[in-house]
Amino acid sequence: TAAYAGALEIPGQARAIDAARFALAMRRDGYNLFAIGPKGVGKETIVRELLEREARTQPTPADWCYVFDFADGRHPRALRLPAGDAGRLRADMARAIGELTTAMVAAFDGDEYRSRKHALIREAKQREGAALEALQERARARRVGVVRTDSGIVVAAVKEGQVIEPDEFERLPPEEQATLRAALEEVGNELSAMFTQAHEWAHAHAAAQLALEREIAEGVTRGVFDGVAAAYLDQPDVLTYLADVARDVVEQAARFTAKPDDGVPEVLRQALHQHDDGRERLRRYEVNPLVDHKDDHGAPVVSEENPTYANLLGRVEHVAELGALVTNFTLILAGALHRANGGYLLIDALKLLQQPFAWEALKRALRTRELRIEGLGQALGMVPTVSLEPAPIPLDVKVVLFGDRNVYYLLAAVDPEFDDLFKVMADFESAMPRGPSADAAYATLVAGLAHEAGLRPFDRGAVARVIEHAARLASDAHRLSIHLRSIADLLCEADACAGVAGRAIATAPDVEAALAGQERRAGRMRERMLEEVTRGTVLIAASGVAVGQLNGLSVIDAGGHAFGFP
């Protein structure tokens, strides 16, 4: 086998390979593949090789990321980007927010903002002062004073510039009192009107102040985000998101100018054992790249070894803060279906069925052609607490299940949706017909397995002995077992025996030694049972004649090792 230099080819599986190729070629709903057959015949090896060969010819699928939804924070938005752009958008946003933080602080500490803000304050004070002075001038003409006190601005009758005390006011002539009371009422009404006007001026001042802050923030934001948007001009969804971010940044400019720990009581900071570094305030502007195909070439081929509900559909993680579990959109994690979207997903059927609700979740995703991340409690309506509800993502995936025949036929019998979702069955053989051409193909298989495992070369006698053992495994002189795991194990053990014997090439005696070792390791039960015969505990008559009695041989298969017992 030293001359072998090709890809591993597994003979005897033409029917299953044709079925798998048909499933790959069908681009319609429901044509997912279920590969059935005994374990160890190479189902996954063959199908994975076909998938990887096909996947290399297909385009790399799009990236997906989740971002904050400024309209409703409980429903993160899903953004679809060309392959490799999810990580780039995340980096661009992180850099833009860093620049904004520095630029905002500089802008609101700058001379232009300070001078314009002080001008607005000065204008407001001058307007209020002029109105009060005019009112005081009119009041003095009517012998009424407008006086500032600790409790506010009040009106009072005056005489020669001095406030008339209540006792002195009562001693005035009735006509004068009446005149002063009328003047006091008029000035009081004017003061109330001035207060109303001042309230409107305060609103106008606040609006002007807000407009000034928005103008400054818009200038800074535009300068930063115009550069970011220039890299995504061909992606309308990203441009819409960037526009929403810029609008929110302008409205929430205080998030960028607030100092760390602003507004956080010292007791709370000590309880948290940390200081706010500003990241929490700005987390809403981060990007969570759910699936990033930057380093991929072609469609993905994903195997999920632990197909739980969360591992298939993704999950939203939580962190503990002050005894409560909180979450945000950056804690959304992808599942196997997300990673395989646009490509192929391989799952062991029995493992899938052993996980609670995983089979139903997979069927629902394939039937609706969308991925909706929700906790198992949410899906069952058992968790009343508020949590995130990420936007669903369109699903385009080919699922391949592996299992034995019993699992396939059981699902076909008891699940009415099974035939609609897995329309193609690839039935893998455990043995192949024997003949000269089959022997040659099997020799090539032995060479390929030895080459794949990095073993010594096998000579003609060793290969012939392996083929003979394959016929014994098939229990048929006219067939050869293609249980690859058993053959591969035998080759590895024969290689080890050749190493112990100091040979550079594995020979037939090495294969014999490996088979003898297998038999000895598994022979305890056989030896004990035959010992019962030789000791006479089990009576077997080997001579003489008995009417209606015959000797027979029971074949016992224990743990893959078969032996005869009389």
Side-chain angles (χ1 to χ4, degrees), residues 387-404:
S387 184
L388 296 181
E389 296 181 10
I393 291 175
L395 177 63
D396 178 19
V397 69
K398 184 80 71 175
V399 176
V400 180
L401 296 183
F402 299 95
D404 60 31

Side-chain angles (χ1 to χ4, degrees), residues 46-65:
I46 294 174
V47 173
R48 175 177 280 278
E49 183 178 347
L50 290 174
L51 292 179
E52 290 178 346
R53 194 179 305 161
E54 176 69 17
R56 286 192 291 268
T57 66
Q58 296 180 9
T60 305
D63 289 352
W64 287 94
C65 60

Side-chain angles (χ1 to χ4, degrees), residues 356-433:
F357 306 104
W359 172 243
E360 290 299 323
L362 176 63
K363 290 194 301 179
R364 182 168 60 250
L366 293 176
R367 188 174 59 251
T368 61
R369 295 182 61 83
E370 70 175 18
L371 286 170
R372 189 178 296 275
I373 300 178
E374 55 185 359
L376 191 53
Q378 288 177 276
L380 299 177
M382 297 169 56
V383 181
T385 57
V386 176
S387 184
L388 296 181
E389 296 181 10
I393 291 175
L395 177 63
D396 178 19
V397 69
K398 184 80 71 175
V399 176
V400 180
L401 296 183
F402 299 95
D404 60 31
R405 294 182 174 89
N406 290 336
V407 173
Y408 175 84
Y409 291 120
L410 180 64
L411 285 173
V414 302
D415 193 333
E417 295 179 321
F418 177 72
D419 289 337
D420 292 333
L421 297 175
F422 291 88
K423 295 179 182 293
V424 183
M425 174 189 67
D427 196 346
F428 282 79
E429 299 281 359
S430 57
M432 58 182 284

Side-chain angles (χ1 to χ4, degrees), residues 518-536:
Q518 289 180 353
E519 186 172 351
R520 176 169 177 76
R521 288 192 298 273
R524 186 191 66 83
M525 185 183 297
R526 172 178 176 273
E527 291 179 2
R528 294 295 178 268
M529 294 181 72
L530 292 181
E531 182 181 326
E532 297 298 311
V533 176
T534 59
R535 292 172 59 185

Side-chain angles (χ1 to χ4, degrees), residues 62-68 70 77-94 96 225-247 285-289:
D63 289 352
W64 287 94
C65 60
Y66 274 111
V67 295
F68 188 77
F70 298 101
R77 294 164 56 182
L79 285 184
R80 184 180 188 274
L81 301 100
D85 275 8
R88 182 164 69 100
L89 178 62
R90 179 185 188 180
D92 289 345
M93 282 298 299
F225 276 95
D226 283 353
V228 178
Y232 301 92
L233 295 178
D234 58 340
Q235 300 178 40
D237 291 344
V238 177
L239 294 179
T240 301
Y241 166 67
L242 292 177
D244 292 343
V245 172
R247 191 178 305 111
Y285 306 117
E286 294 182 13
V287 173
N288 179 9

